[in-house]
Every structure is written in structure tokens, then in C-alpha cells.
Amino acid sequence: MSVRRPVAWTVAVVLSAEAVGVAALNWFLGIVVDRQDMSLAGLDPDIMSVSSKIGGVVFGLYFALCALVALLVALRDRAPAGLGRILLISAAVVHGLLGAFTWGLVGPGAFLFMIVVLGLIVLLLMTYDSRQEPAAGQRPEGGKGDDGSPLSPPPAPTTP
């Protein structure tokens, strides 16, 4: 049994939940800054509040887009390609960096969560290796091999 599809579904669900969580957390922080009229090193509190909300929405949309890519991978059972692959790789890098920061700022629990998500994304990318051989009975389109040379025709069936 292949673990590819369950991993893709898991990544899609986790990244969707993370998108909502990140957006909600930043929105909440923006509200707190606005209500407390806080300032950091003389910055305008209104700008800090709006910036936090915009950052939360942008980061939430980024994770939601990554979750959509993982969902499409799960539905199609094909490796992500092009922009989707780049998005998933960047999400893995982001989780690695966030994991490094959360150890000191939040604690080992948040670090563990970030590293588990990083591992799931890497597992998703590695289980859908684009260099896999086609399954038995499947032939590449165009009748050409990987090197561009024509494939030999399939053997003719023999009848007794």
C-alpha cells in the first residue's frame, strides 16, 4: 500500500489549519496592538496594527495556496510540478526556519510541530519522485523513451 495519497491529504489538512491559525493569530495581535495603543521604538500603533493584519492575511493565503497544491496532489495522485513544487519546497524551508525560531521563542512543543510539518512536506515531495519508472503496462506518450529514442513495439500476443 502506498503512503503517497494519505501523506498528501494530511499535508493539505495541516496546512489548511495552519493557514487559518496564522491568519487568526496575526489578526488578534493586530487588534491587541490597536486597543492597547502600543508602540515599538516610536512606530505608529495604527501602522503596526494594520501591518500585522495584512501580514496575517498574506501568510494565511500563502499556506492556503500550499494546502491547495497538496490537495491537488492527493486528488490527482501525481507529483506536484512547476509552481506547485516550488510552493511546497518554499513551505518546507519556511517551516524549517520557523522551527529554528520557535525553539527559543515559544518552546519545544511549537518546534516539534514545525518539524513534523516540515517532515510531512518533505515526505510528500519525496514520495512523488518524478523519475519513477512507469508501471507495468503503461508506456510513455509519443512512443519515446527518456532519451528520445523510439521504444520497441510491445510483443505480439501469441495464441495456442
Side-chain angles (χ1 to χ4, degrees):
M1 180 178 167
S2 176
V3 298
R4 297 184 318 183
R5 284 187 118 167
V7 167
W9 281 108
T10 304
V11 169
V13 169
V14 168
L15 287 177
S16 297
E18 194 172 5
V20 171
V22 164
L25 177 66
N26 279 296
W27 196 270
F28 172 74
L29 291 175
I31 291 172
V32 168
V33 167
D34 193 32
R35 289 190 181 163
Q36 295 295 320
D37 202 29
M38 291 188 257
S39 177
L40 179 65
L43 293 173
D44 183 19
D46 292 331
I47 292 176
M48 289 175 53
S49 173
V50 170
S51 297
S52 177
K53 291 175 182 177
I54 291 172
V57 169
V58 168
F59 228 137
L61 289 174
Y62 166 71
F63 281 137
L65 187 59
C66 293
L68 177 65
V69 170
L71 179 66
L72 291 174
V73 167
L75 291 174
R76 296 177 181 167
D77 199 21
R78 285 192 320 203
L83 181 62
R85 187 168 186 82
I86 292 170
L87 277 171
L88 288 176
I89 290 170
S90 70
V93 170
V94 165
H95 281 86
L97 291 172
L98 287 176
F101 289 123
T102 57
W103 178 271
L105 297 174
V106 182
F111 169 78
L112 184 62
F113 173 77
M114 289 295 161
I115 297 307
V116 166
V117 176
L118 168 66
L120 284 170
I121 295 171
V122 170
L123 185 61
L124 169 67
L125 290 167
M126 296 305 291
T127 55
Y128 283 97
D129 189 7
S130 62
R131 293 172 285 153
Q132 290 177 347
E133 294 296 319
Q138 293 181 342
R139 301 178 70 63
E141 289 187 29
K144 302 209 182 247
D146 289 337
D147 60 353
S149 62
L151 293 173
S152 59
T158 56
T159 55

